[in-house]
Amino acid sequence: MLVLKKVNIKISAKTQTLLQRFGEVATPQVQGAMQVVMQAAEAVAKEKAPKDQGLLQDSIAGTVEVHGPRIVGVLGSPLDYAAPMEYGTKAFWPPSAPLEEWVGRKFGLQGIERRSVAFLVRRAIARRGLRARKFMAAGVQKAQAIAPGLIGRALRTLERQLSDG
């Protein structure tokens, strides 16, 4: 999977203290909270992604990776056009066949009209490039907003479970 965004979470001093106190014991709880966070990030990114055939939306995945003491949320897509759609591009001359197909789907045009409109779109891209859509960034923003609360809640639950035992 092409990693487009990593989620960096800012947590409170109290949550940091709990993480340090529980160490590896907290990994399953934090990992579970991060999975919920990444599901929310994935849902936002899919909602904001450009819509054509739905291939880009369907390819977006939020995952959680554990690297020793670090738990990282990753949002990405394996499609080669996901990064240009997320970040935008400089001006370039795109291939005609995919654009002709897109024009046919988007506007219902065929034949010479389809080729003519596709040429105009290609020329516009050659002059201006593609604008950044930032659909993954929207997902990461959602993750960063909800993660501290979910992780803190998971750690407080662990604290109660350990103190009751």
Side-chain angles (χ1 to χ4, degrees):
M1 175 166 65
L2 172 66
V3 174
L4 295 178
K5 299 284 183 180
K6 288 198 176 187
V7 179
N8 297 310
I9 306 301
K10 291 183 172 75
I11 55 176
S12 69
K14 182 177 180 180
T15 302
Q16 287 177 6
T17 302
L18 288 172
L19 272 173
Q20 290 169 350
R21 182 173 162 203
F22 296 127
E24 287 186 25
V25 174
T27 298
Q29 282 76 13
V30 174
Q31 188 175 3
M34 277 301 287
Q35 286 173 335
V36 172
V37 167
M38 294 313 298
Q39 287 170 351
E42 179 182 317
V44 168
K46 286 181 174 188
E47 175 189 322
K48 302 279 185 186
K51 293 153 188 66
D52 179 27
Q53 294 177 301
L55 299 175
L56 180 58
Q57 290 171 298
D58 292 345
S59 75
I60 296 170
T63 60
V64 177
E65 298 175 355
V66 178
H67 303 283
R70 289 185 40 225
I71 297 174
V72 180
V74 177
L75 193 59
S77 165
L79 298 179
D80 56 352
Y81 63 88
M85 296 304 287
E86 172 69 15
Y87 301 115
T89 67
K90 293 180 179 179
F92 70 100
W93 193 252
S96 62
L99 278 175
E100 285 185 28
E101 290 175 22
W102 176 79
V103 166
R105 286 190 305 274
K106 180 87 173 163
F107 303 110
L109 300 175
Q110 295 298 320
I112 191 77
E113 288 179 321
R114 180 169 140 169
R115 284 190 300 279
S116 296
V117 171
F119 173 79
L120 294 173
V121 173
R122 288 177 76 203
R123 188 173 65 185
I125 293 170
R127 289 180 176 167
R128 294 187 288 270
L130 296 173
R131 71 175 170 83
R133 298 308 201 297
K134 299 183 181 179
F135 52 97
M136 296 275 190
V140 169
Q141 188 175 19
K142 175 69 171 182
Q144 289 171 332
I146 67 171
L150 289 173
I151 292 170
R153 196 171 313 129
L155 290 172
R156 288 189 296 278
T157 300
L158 177 63
E159 182 179 40
R160 281 194 302 277
Q161 289 171 350
L162 292 176
S163 65
D164 289 344

